[in-house]
Amino acid sequence: MAETQVLMERLEKAVIRLESLFSDSHRSIGMECGAVNGVNGGMSVAPYVEAFDRLLNGSVAEFLRNSKILEGDVKIHAEMVRAAFQAQRAFLLLVSQYQEPQESEMAVLLKPISDKIQEIQTFRERNRGSKMFNHLSAVSESIPALGWITVSPKPGPYVKEMNDAATFYTNRVLKDYKNSDLHHVDWVKSYLNIWTELQAYIKEHHTTGLTWSKTGPTASTASVLSTLTSGQCLPPPPPPPLPPGPPPVFDTESGKDEATTSRSALFAQLNQGEAITKGLRHVSDDQKTHKNPNLRAQGLPVRSPTKSHTPSPTSPKNSPQQSHSPLLELEGKKWRVEYQEDKNDLVITDTELKQVAYIFKCNKSTLQMKGKINSITIDNCRKFGLVFDNVVGIVEVINSRDIQIQVMGKVPTISINKTEGCHIYLSEDSLDCEIVSAKSSEMNILIPLNGDYKEFPVPEQFKTAWDGSKLVTEPAEIVG
């Protein structure tokens, strides 16, 4: 493992140095030195690399300027975004100079970008108490768009999907600041403009995906390092890169073309809301906690029966899953509940108002939280049940499937994002709760009526019409 880590660090440094070697600012030096390992250091960069530079100097630079005005966590986060785009620029430069590598080498060459994305998302999770949390969430939810380089044959729509994920949070920013501080409005416009321009860039230069050079040497870790260490006029090495985030967990549930499965897996963790499972049915009486008190007392799973998802014969095989140890611990002010499998007796009793809970990658399990807590986030869970007393902030469900939530006390807001199958049982005291949903399906709210519960589906389709002065949007399905 130590040798692998050293190799990763060398590679990331190498990619950054390769970018410097072939950038316009060092073009004259390259001409004096001549070719390096068969790659002419003085040659101009490919047109699509130059076009990417214009995007960096345009919309990305504008976003950085607006982030600097807002300062604080937003400014720090924006610098991470800049580093991620620079890593992608270096990769595009590799593509323009080298022939396509083997799949095993591709995973290594993509790792610098994957690490930058992971770093951006980790920063958001570590700053859930930030007053700019919606800003951080908008960036964190959409930055996987940089994974377009692994998508074929149509990477453009993938970027649009990630841009849509950002608008869920940018709309919150606009709501909070549109009448008080227009700097935040400018920040939203500049950030969303990055992805709009990236879509246009892809449409012009990479409509069907990246095309590697047909004439250069075959890209590999060794060849990249060799190129950088054999020249006589190399620029001084850059400062050491930021430490990489935790290794990503690859999930290939979304069925992609077999030729791109392994490389797409690098970004699958960052976009795990794409997997689709059909056949969710209503909960039978014997599986509802309000009709079977033993379920609540024993902490048994609150779930709806779901048809098993069997890949078709043509679906690519899943990559081996990385093993993680189950975790349930209090880290500072955050309860971390992670990688729990088939655990139906999870209970947290020692809660405080200042604490938050983050539930990640828990499957076929149930958690009961007693007392009062600030907020709860359910992220990337499957067939998971949550029973809690009181939350003073928000309960968020993101990138999950088949979730059951029962409110015993009060909660002001429940947010459902990129989730398939979510049943929420409200208590008498929580009927004023606001349910906010986006890019989700099979959502049902159960309301206590006359000693029983009545189920109400949350609309998934809407119709919009112009009434002569404004757009009017209303559900396109009957609710009741």
Side-chain angles (χ1 to χ4, degrees):
M1 290 295 297
E3 294 179 355
T4 302
Q5 183 63 32
V6 171
L7 178 60
M8 293 302 99
E9 292 176 357
R10 291 182 64 201
L11 175 62
E12 188 165 0
K13 292 179 181 179
V15 171
I16 295 174
R17 293 180 64 190
L18 183 63
E19 177 183 6
S20 300
L21 179 63
F22 292 106
S23 65
D24 292 343
S25 61
H26 294 87
R27 190 174 300 170
S28 59
I29 298 178
M31 293 179 66
E32 294 175 4
C33 296
V36 179
N37 266 19
V39 179
N40 190 347
M43 68 192 308
S44 58
V45 297
Y48 64 77
V49 178
E50 292 182 342
F52 195 79
D53 287 339
R54 289 193 291 273
L55 186 149
L56 293 179
N57 295 328
S59 57
V60 175
E62 179 68 16
F63 166 69
L64 291 171
R65 285 192 291 270
N66 287 325
S67 299
K68 186 175 182 180
I69 293 174
L70 299 185
E71 299 183 335
D73 292 336
V74 171
K75 178 182 177 182
I76 297 172
H77 218 205
E79 286 299 320
M80 295 179 182
V81 172
R82 178 190 59 79
F85 270 89
Q86 287 183 337
Q88 180 145 108
R89 197 267 186 189
F91 183 82
L92 292 174
L93 194 63
L94 282 176
V95 172
S96 70
Q97 302 289 353
Y98 287 86
Q99 295 186 48
E100 186 170 7
Q102 298 295 322
E103 290 290 345
S104 59
E105 295 286 351
M106 177 69 78
V108 177
L109 295 176
L110 286 169
K111 191 175 185 300
I113 300 176
S114 180
D115 284 347
K116 297 299 182 185
I117 294 175
Q118 183 69 31
E119 181 185 25
I120 290 169
Q121 297 196 317
T122 299
F123 183 83
R124 177 240 194 178
E125 291 305 325
R126 291 175 177 172
N127 292 276
R128 299 190 69 85
S130 172
K131 64 179 181 179
M132 302 288 194
F133 182 70
N134 286 329
H135 300 67
L136 304 185
S137 296
V139 175
S140 180
E141 286 294 312
S142 55
I143 197 64
L146 292 181
W148 70 268
I149 54 178
T150 69
V151 178
S152 177
K154 295 182 179 180
Y158 173 76
V159 175
K160 184 181 185 304
E161 183 177 351
M162 293 298 98
N163 188 27
D164 292 342
T167 59
F168 177 79
Y169 291 98
T170 55
N171 286 342
R172 291 184 177 185
V173 175
L174 294 176
K175 179 181 177 181
D176 292 341
Y177 293 99
K178 65 181 180 181
N179 296 322
S180 59
D181 190 343
L182 294 182
H183 288 309
H184 294 267
V185 177
D186 293 338
W187 181 90
V188 168
K189 291 179 179 178
S190 63
Y191 183 67
L192 295 180
N193 191 46
I194 292 176
W195 304 123
T196 301
E197 291 195 7
L198 182 59
Q199 291 175 61
Y201 165 81
I202 293 172
K203 183 177 181 180
E204 180 177 356
H205 299 281
H206 308 285
T207 306
T208 58
L210 286 181
T211 301
W212 289 75
S213 173
K214 302 298 183 182
T215 58
T218 301
S220 68
T221 306
S223 65
V224 172
L225 293 176
S226 175
T227 298
L228 293 173
T229 56
S230 62
Q232 299 299 318
C233 298
L234 294 177
L242 292 173
V249 181
F250 301 150
D251 181 354
T252 56
E253 283 185 357
S254 54
K256 295 183 179 294
D257 184 79
E258 188 159 0
T260 60
T261 299
S262 59
R263 69 186 77 170
S264 297
L266 287 172
F267 297 93
Q269 181 210 13
L270 311 177
N271 185 34
Q272 291 170 7
E274 293 182 345
I276 297 177
T277 299
K278 302 296 184 182
L280 291 174
R281 301 196 301 266
H282 292 306
V283 187
S284 61
D285 287 348
D286 63 340
Q287 292 172 310
K288 295 180 179 179
T289 56
H290 65 282
K291 293 188 176 182
N292 190 349
N294 290 332
L295 291 180
R296 281 199 306 271
Q298 299 172 9
L300 293 176
V302 190
R303 68 182 77 174
S304 61
T306 306
K307 294 181 180 178
S308 61
H309 178 66
T310 305
S312 64
T314 58
S315 297
K317 296 181 180 179
N318 288 342
S319 300
Q321 297 296 306
Q322 188 170 350
S323 176
H324 292 270
S325 299
L327 180 67
L328 196 162
E329 68 176 17
L330 179 61
E331 183 182 87
K333 298 180 181 180
K334 177 193 290 187
W335 283 100
R336 295 178 56 192
V337 185
E338 302 177 2
Y339 304 106
Q340 300 288 343
E341 295 280 347
D342 294 298
K343 294 293 182 64
N344 300 323
D345 57 353
L346 301 173
V347 180
I348 295 177
T349 58
D350 189 20
T351 59
E352 297 180 9
L353 184 59
K354 62 183 179 181
Q355 295 173 348
V356 300
Y358 181 61
I359 306 164
F360 179 71
K361 277 279 187 178
C362 293
N363 300 322
K364 300 178 182 179
S365 300
T366 301
L367 170 66
Q368 184 174 7
M369 299 195 69
K370 299 181 179 181
K372 186 176 292 186
I373 195 169
N374 187 278
S375 66
I376 302 174
T377 298
I378 301 174
D379 184 4
N380 226 307
C381 295
R382 303 289 185 267
K383 297 183 180 180
F384 182 78
L386 172 67
V387 180
F388 66 88
D389 289 347
N390 296 284
V391 170
V392 298
I394 185 173
V395 174
E396 289 186 282
V397 183
I398 57 177
N399 296 328
S400 297
R401 186 194 309 132
D402 199 5
I403 303 299
Q404 298 275 344
I405 297 176
Q406 181 151 11
V407 186
M408 306 303 293
K410 290 182 66 66
V411 59
T413 306
I414 297 178
S415 171
I416 310 170
N417 191 22
K418 293 195 291 184
T419 293
E420 294 181 9
C422 187
H423 292 70
I424 300 174
Y425 296 79
L426 295 179
S427 66
E428 292 283 357
D429 294 333
S430 61
L431 294 181
D432 58 348
C433 172
E434 292 185 350
I435 312 294
V436 182
S437 62
K439 300 184 68 178
S440 299
S441 62
E442 298 286 347
M443 298 172 289
N444 294 279
I445 311 301
L446 291 98
I447 305 297
L449 293 173
N450 301 322
D452 200 351
Y453 278 78
K454 185 174 181 180
E455 187 174 54
F456 296 88
V458 177
E460 301 172 22
Q461 297 181 353
F462 301 87
K463 59 181 179 181
T464 300
W466 178 255
D467 70 351
S469 60
K470 63 181 182 301
L471 291 174
V472 178
T473 301
E474 60 184 16
E477 55 190 341
I478 299 176
V479 179

